[in-house]
């Protein structure tokens, strides 16, 4: 009897929390981030360790580019669930964006943690695609003295090719484009189009023609081909 009474006493709170969470989800999906944030914060007061609520608050902070907040929420997720690969990935991404806004000296000290977070995501989930993309970009953008490496970037691209052909071809094309090997990049993007017919593959090839190879007519043709394939 006592247990039944406790359940009935808690019922209004449980219903309120669920209702508030669902409303906040809908606001988030509608990109009304300020209103969603207020509701999620209310839910979090009732359920301080709720993983989904914390993740939504981290994602809102990411959308609004409040990197300190995002880092804080994702760090909490890592602590609550150390086996969550995506939490490590999101933490690394938010920390990397935060590093872009601080001094070069301070950013240099954050690089290992950023890289380590992405690598940890892959250890926890060997099929994690986004973490490999992030490591490719990190290895391209960092100078060699800070650990940047074309060889490492290509290694992650080759891993992507085995997991997802479209990501493999697009990432290798991105690497070739970064190092101004435009013909090689063109070939990789064409492979991506063949295996996927995805919007991203057409756009990356069109962008290469338009901005790097000075071939606007080819860019226009590729975009028209994409539109025709949608019918």
């Amino acid at each position: 009897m006592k247990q039944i009474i406790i359940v009935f006493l808690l019922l209004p709170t449980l219903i309120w929390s669920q209702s508030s969470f669902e409303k906040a989800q809908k606001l988030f999906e509608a990109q009304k981030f300020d209103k969603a944030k207020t509701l999620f914060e209310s839910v979090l007061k009732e359920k301080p360790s709720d993983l989904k609520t914390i993740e939504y608050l981290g994602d809102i902070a990411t959308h609004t580019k409040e990197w300190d907040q995002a880092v804080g929420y994702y760090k909490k997720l890592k602590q609550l669930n150390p086996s969550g690969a995506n939490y490590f990935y999101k933490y690394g991404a938010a920390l990397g964006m935060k590093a872009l806004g601080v001094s070069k000296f301070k950013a240099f000290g954050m690089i290992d943690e950023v890289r380590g977070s992405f690598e940890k995501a892959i250890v926890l989930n060997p099929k994690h695609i986004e973490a490999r993309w992030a490591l490719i970009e990190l290895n391209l953008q960092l100078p060699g003295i800070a650990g940047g490496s074309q060889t490492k970037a290509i290694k992650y691209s080759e891993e992507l090719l085995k997991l997802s052909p479209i990501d493999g071809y697009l990432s290798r094309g991105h690497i070739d484009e970064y190092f101004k090997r435009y013909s090689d990049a063109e070939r990789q993007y064409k492979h991506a189009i063949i295996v996927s017919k995805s919007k991203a593959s057409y756009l990356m090839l069109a962008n290469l023609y338009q901005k790097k190879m000075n071939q606007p007519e080819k860019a226009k043709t590729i975009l028209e081909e994409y539109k025709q394939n949608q019918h």
Side-chain angles (χ1 to χ4, degrees):
M1 186 68 180
K2 187 179 178 182
Q3 288 177 329
I4 294 171
I5 291 169
I6 290 171
V7 168
F8 274 104
L9 286 172
L10 287 174
L11 198 58
T13 302
L14 292 169
I15 292 170
W16 179 85
S17 293
Q18 184 64 18
S19 175
S20 295
F21 182 85
E22 289 171 351
K23 285 177 185 175
Q25 271 186 314
K26 287 175 183 175
L27 287 167
F28 178 88
E29 288 163 9
Q31 298 190 353
K32 295 178 180 178
F33 298 125
D34 288 342
K35 290 180 180 179
K37 180 181 179 181
T38 301
L39 269 181
F40 278 129
E41 286 173 342
S42 298
V43 174
L44 194 64
K45 285 178 184 176
E46 298 291 326
K47 299 160 72 177
S49 299
D50 185 70
L51 297 176
K52 285 306 297 179
T53 301
I54 297 167
E55 186 172 10
Y56 269 118
L57 284 166
D59 292 350
I60 288 169
T62 295
H63 279 289
T64 55
K65 300 181 180 180
E66 296 172 278
W67 303 118
D68 281 328
Q69 285 186 30
V71 167
Y73 284 122
Y74 295 141
K75 186 175 184 178
K76 190 173 181 181
L77 287 170
K78 288 196 308 166
Q79 292 166 344
L80 289 169
N81 183 6
S83 62
N86 225 34
Y87 300 151
F88 281 87
Y89 163 69
K90 288 186 174 185
Y91 175 77
L95 192 64
M97 292 306 297
K98 179 181 175 179
L100 294 175
V102 301
S103 68
K104 286 186 179 180
F105 179 78
K106 194 171 181 180
F108 188 80
M110 297 162 72
I111 290 167
D112 284 347
E113 192 170 3
V114 172
R115 185 189 295 276
S117 297
F118 295 142
E119 290 172 343
K120 180 70 172 178
I122 292 172
V123 169
L124 292 169
N125 176 8
K127 295 182 179 180
H128 205 292
I129 287 171
E130 294 86 355
R132 286 179 172 83
W133 266 103
L135 284 163
I136 288 169
E137 198 60 34
L138 195 65
N139 278 293
L140 293 181
Q141 297 297 333
L142 288 176
I145 194 171
S149 164
Q150 180 182 178
T151 303
K152 287 179 183 176
I154 290 171
K155 172 181 141 332
Y156 287 116
S157 177
E158 288 172 347
E159 289 178 10
L160 280 176
L161 187 62
K162 293 175 185 175
L163 292 170
S164 164
I166 177 178
D167 287 287
Y169 289 127
L170 288 180
S171 61
R172 187 56 184 266
H174 177 60
I175 294 167
D176 287 331
E177 185 175 344
Y178 183 85
F179 289 103
K180 300 181 180 180
R181 299 189 291 263
Y182 298 141
S183 295
D184 290 338
E186 177 187 19
R187 187 172 67 254
Q188 296 294 341
Y189 293 151
K190 283 182 176 179
H191 279 307
I193 288 172
I194 290 168
V195 299
S196 72
K197 295 285 191 291
S198 70
K199 184 178 181 179
S201 53
Y202 279 102
L203 288 178
M204 288 177 83
L205 181 56
N207 187 68
L208 177 72
Y209 285 141
Q210 181 73 37
K211 296 184 178 179
K212 304 292 175 64
M213 299 179 78
N214 195 27
Q215 296 178 345
E217 286 305 313
K218 277 193 174 183
K220 185 179 177 183
T221 301
I222 281 295
L223 291 175
E224 286 173 355
E225 182 184 321
Y226 170 71
K227 288 177 185 175
Q228 287 171 4
N229 286 336
Q230 300 312 295
H231 299 301

